[in-house]
Amino acid sequence: MNVAKTGYRVFSANSTPACTELSKKITERLGVELGKSVVYQESNRETRVEIKESVRGQTIFIIQTIPRDVNTAIMELLVMAYALKTSCAENIIGVIPYFPYSKQCKMRKRGSIVCKLLASMLAKAGLSHIITMDLHQKEIQGFFTFPVDNLRASPFLLQYIQDEIPDYRNAIIVAKSPSAAKRAQSYAERLRLGLAVIHGEAESDMADGRHSPPCVRNITGHPGLEL
């Protein structure tokens, strides 16, 4: 397939085996070549990205899986997106199967909502669209100033269970916590299986620090008034 006719390119954001393999499978399915780029770490652990071909006026898809070194993967994505932006790419779409820091989407005591920070960084780097799967909370999509496609893995998991596990009807769906019961119930109903919930200490609604007592101010009244 001619790149000039398609108008888009697919790049791999890092050199980990999982990301490279996923990128190759996607390009083979689309019938296009993987974009030529170099992503590496310098001796001082700085991330450097070099785009080896013209992307002017094209739509770019950046494939980025998240390994254990989450922060390095984020920097690779940010630097590559910014490099493509400065190379005059028209649209930059990030394909991130697992979105990092998605569990830090609520205020905890005197912490911060890191997921909102990451959303702002991605927009500033030049991304105009994100495709991800199973966000920790649906409300995370509101952190972004551009469209977010939150795909679901449940149809593929259900199909895998039905096709690859012959005796799956003797199984049971277990929710690891009461908060996961609704999602587990969805699987149990579609597979027509039983449901079990592991009960533990529920997460306190006051864990965000709002239970802190207000500051006490000493108010001195007028000496002639009895308070």
Side-chain angles (χ1 to χ4, degrees):
M1 185 179 292
N2 192 348
V3 176
K5 293 181 179 179
T6 60
Y8 67 85
R9 299 289 294 173
V10 179
F11 284 83
S12 177
N14 62 26
S15 56
T16 59
C19 187
T20 304
E21 182 180 358
L22 177 61
S23 302
K24 287 182 178 179
K25 289 183 177 180
I26 291 175
T27 52
E28 289 175 359
R29 185 70 177 268
L30 294 174
V32 299
E33 294 182 358
L34 187 64
K36 298 177 182 178
S37 63
V38 177
V39 182
Y40 61 94
Q41 305 293 321
E42 294 187 344
S43 58
N44 60 353
R45 302 296 297 171
E46 288 185 359
T47 299
R48 182 175 291 274
V49 175
E50 297 178 3
I51 307 299
K52 297 294 186 179
E53 59 183 281
S54 175
V55 295
R56 182 179 298 273
Q58 296 183 4
T59 297
I60 306 300
F61 290 87
I62 304 177
I63 312 298
Q64 176 64 307
T65 57
I66 304 299
R68 290 186 178 273
D69 193 356
V70 178
N71 296 329
T72 299
I74 291 174
M75 283 305 302
E76 289 175 349
L77 179 61
L78 292 173
V79 176
M80 174 165 278
Y82 190 68
L84 293 167
K85 177 183 177 181
T86 54
S87 298
C88 299
E90 183 176 357
N91 294 310
I92 304 173
I93 302 172
V95 180
I96 314 170
Y98 171 73
F99 192 79
Y101 288 100
S102 60
K103 290 186 177 181
Q104 298 191 45
C105 60
K106 294 182 180 180
M107 181 69 73
R108 302 298 182 194
K109 294 186 178 180
R110 291 168 180 82
S112 60
I113 306 176
V114 184
C115 190
K116 169 63 175 176
L117 171 64
L118 181 56
S120 301
M121 293 168 63
L122 293 174
K124 189 68 175 178
L127 286 171
S128 57
H129 197 131
I130 279 182
I131 301 174
T132 186
M133 297 187 69
D134 291 324
L135 285 172
H136 185 63
Q137 297 289 340
K138 296 180 180 179
E139 292 76 11
I140 292 177
Q141 298 179 67
F143 292 161
F144 295 86
T145 57
F146 50 76
V148 176
D149 283 329
N150 183 26
L151 306 181
R152 295 297 181 186
S154 56
F156 303 99
L157 293 175
L158 292 171
Q159 188 67 35
Y160 177 83
I161 293 173
Q162 293 173 342
D163 295 343
E164 302 297 333
I165 304 178
D167 199 26
Y168 79 91
R169 293 195 177 276
N170 291 328
I172 187 171
I173 302 297
V174 179
K176 66 176 182 178
S177 63
S179 61
K182 184 177 180 180
R183 184 166 60 254
Q185 182 182 3
S186 175
Y187 282 87
E189 289 178 350
R190 284 183 283 182
L191 292 172
R192 297 182 180 181
L193 299 176
L195 174 66
V197 181
I198 299 177
H199 288 271
E201 293 183 1
E203 184 177 318
S204 174
D205 293 335
M206 306 303 292
D208 59 357
R210 288 178 290 182
H211 64 287
S212 301
C215 298
V216 178
R217 294 180 296 176
N218 295 324
I219 303 177
T220 304
H222 194 276
L225 298 178
E226 183 179 349
L227 300 179

